[in-house]
Structures are given as structure tokens and as C-alpha cells.
Amino acid sequence: GGKASVEGRLGWEPALAWEARANLDGFDPGYFLPGWDGRLSGQVLSSGARQAPADPADPAAVAGPLQASVDIPRLQGQLRGRPLQASASVQLLGEQAEGKLELALGNSQVSAQGKVGSQLDVQAQLQPLQLDDLLPGSSGSLAGSLALRGRSDSPDITADLRGSGLRWGDYQADSVSLVGELPWRGRQGQLALQASQLQAGMALDNVQLSASGNLQQLALAGTAGNELGQLALQGNVGVRTKRKGHDIH
């Protein structure tokens, strides 16, 4: 169903390089992805190159980092019977990536932007996200924001997420919230998790867990219970950095 056309240029000597443009006119992605039927119209642009070696004649010479970009100025139509409007852009330079996404699908509104690499700076807004819009067979709503900042192996976490009626496979929760901020090191923060009627391997009527401090030195306190009884938890978790990886004690 619909049409798709692609045009562009591709070269591989003295190094890989390309420019491409895809035009979609009522295109049905279900042709490639069963269960994701739709009619999408828009344009996808991509370009990229890898810097040629300093001496292309030297077989041991190493090419430079890959630079690439993908730009979707506007994508619209229907997907799985839901109206869709989206735009996105991604730029890649070696192991560093930067991008932005705006998505409206069915009753979901999602926006995200940030940088990924040795340093993270990622922010996402769900206003809200209806799980069945993106995950077939699921249900429920999740709203709020999530941010990760800092080194990729030790980011600070900031969250203000609230969900209700969540169902996905064997997992479910009538309500759940994750609110607060936990830095990786240095300053002190606090993150609180609350859930009711939780099913995740076992059934729990209520769960409350709070973490305070930072991810290097964390104090935990919480309760969980069901009709069989209540469990209280309190303790401390520390991370001792080694040359490779982390020790948790």
C-alpha cells in the first residue's frame, strides 16, 4: 500500500560517503513490520561520511570517525489505526550522538532530546504516554519527565513519573510513581518509589522505597506487603570504584 521512493548518492573511495532522500506517500510499514500497519507520508533525509585515511595507499592507515545525520522534518498519517505526527533528527560523530524527537501517536505525546556518548544529557517528557500506542498488548498511562546527566557510566538521575493501570505481559501495577533526584556523587538527593497492586514475579499490595544520599553512598528504606504480611527494609549501599568496573558492598 502507498508509495516509497529513494534517491541519492553512495561512494566508497577514498572513503565511505552518502547522501539519500526517501519520500513516503501513504506508505504501509506493515509490509516490513507485521502488526504495524499504517499509511505514512513524509520525508527522510540522511547524509554521512567517514574521513579518509591520511595515506589511502597505506593498508595500515586508519580512517577517521564516522559522521552521519538523519533528519525527518515531518512524518504524518496513521499507524496501527492511530493518528501519527512526528519529527526527529539525529547527528552522529564517532561515538558521540545528539538528537531530538517529537512524537504524537494516538493519545500519546512524547518529546525527547539529548546527547549520548562518554557524557549523557538526556531529557524525556511524557504528556502522557499510553502504553498500548507503542507496545501492542499493553495498557495504562505514564506521564511526567525523566533526565539523565553526567558520565555515561555514572549519570545523575532526575525523575517525576506517575503511572496508572499499567499492564505489560506478566507485569502490572494499578499505580506507580518515581519522584526525586539522585546524583552519582557529591551532593545529596532523594528518590522515592511508590506502587500499589504490583505484579512482578510476585503479588504485592503496596510497595514504598526511598533512597537518599547519592549513588556512591546510598541509604535505603522501604516497606512492601500483601495479604500474607509486611516486610520492612533498611540499609546502606556503597560503590567502591576500581580501575575497571565497580564494587558494590
Side-chain angles (χ1 to χ4, degrees):
K3 299 177 182 179
S5 63
V6 181
E7 60 182 355
R9 300 184 300 170
L10 172 65
W12 49 88
E13 290 292 347
L16 175 67
W18 75 89
E19 292 181 359
R21 178 174 63 191
N23 294 299
L24 308 179
D25 182 8
F27 178 71
D28 181 8
Y31 184 83
F32 297 100
L33 301 171
W36 291 87
D37 301 338
R39 291 181 60 84
L40 302 179
S41 298
Q43 197 173 71
V44 181
L45 309 172
S46 179
S47 63
R50 182 183 293 276
Q51 184 178 349
D55 183 2
D58 182 359
V62 178
L66 178 67
Q67 300 182 48
S69 68
V70 177
D71 188 25
I72 304 175
R74 186 177 184 184
L75 191 65
Q76 60 185 1
Q78 286 198 343
L79 187 61
R80 296 178 54 241
R82 296 162 168 81
L84 176 144
Q85 289 194 9
S87 64
S89 63
V90 177
Q91 293 81 42
L92 175 69
L93 176 58
E95 297 181 355
Q96 304 293 317
E98 182 175 355
K100 184 177 182 179
L101 168 70
E102 297 287 343
L103 173 66
L105 176 62
N107 295 315
S108 297
Q109 295 275 349
V110 177
S111 62
Q113 62 182 1
K115 300 178 181 180
V116 177
S118 59
Q119 294 285 325
L120 289 179
D121 186 1
V122 178
Q123 305 96 44
Q125 298 279 341
L126 313 178
Q127 302 174 340
L129 169 63
Q130 302 289 343
L131 293 190
D132 60 346
D133 286 335
L134 292 183
L135 297 173
S138 63
S139 63
S141 175
L142 190 62
S145 62
L146 177 67
L148 301 174
R149 295 184 177 91
R151 286 176 44 181
S152 59
D153 62 348
S154 54
D156 299 344
I157 302 171
T158 304
D160 186 2
L161 293 173
R162 304 174 195 276
S164 61
L166 302 177
R167 304 285 189 278
W168 183 37
D170 296 331
Y171 299 93
Q172 65 182 51
D174 279 3
S175 67
V176 63
S177 69
L178 181 66
V179 179
E181 179 181 10
L182 270 184
W184 180 261
R185 60 173 61 85
R187 57 194 175 86
Q188 303 295 294
Q190 187 163 1
L191 191 67
L193 170 69
Q194 296 185 351
S196 66
Q197 302 303 314
L198 180 67
Q199 179 70 50
M202 65 180 299
L204 295 170
D205 294 336
N206 57 80
V207 174
Q208 294 187 356
L209 180 65
S210 65
S212 58
N214 57 57
L215 289 168
Q216 293 281 308
Q217 296 292 332
L218 197 61
L220 297 173
T223 60
N226 55 25
E227 60 183 5
L228 299 178
Q230 292 284 326
L231 172 70
L233 166 72
Q234 190 166 2
N236 295 280
V237 176
V239 178
R240 183 172 62 247
T241 303
K242 299 190 301 183
R243 180 169 295 179
K244 293 183 178 181
H246 304 287
D247 260 352
I248 299 177
H249 58 88

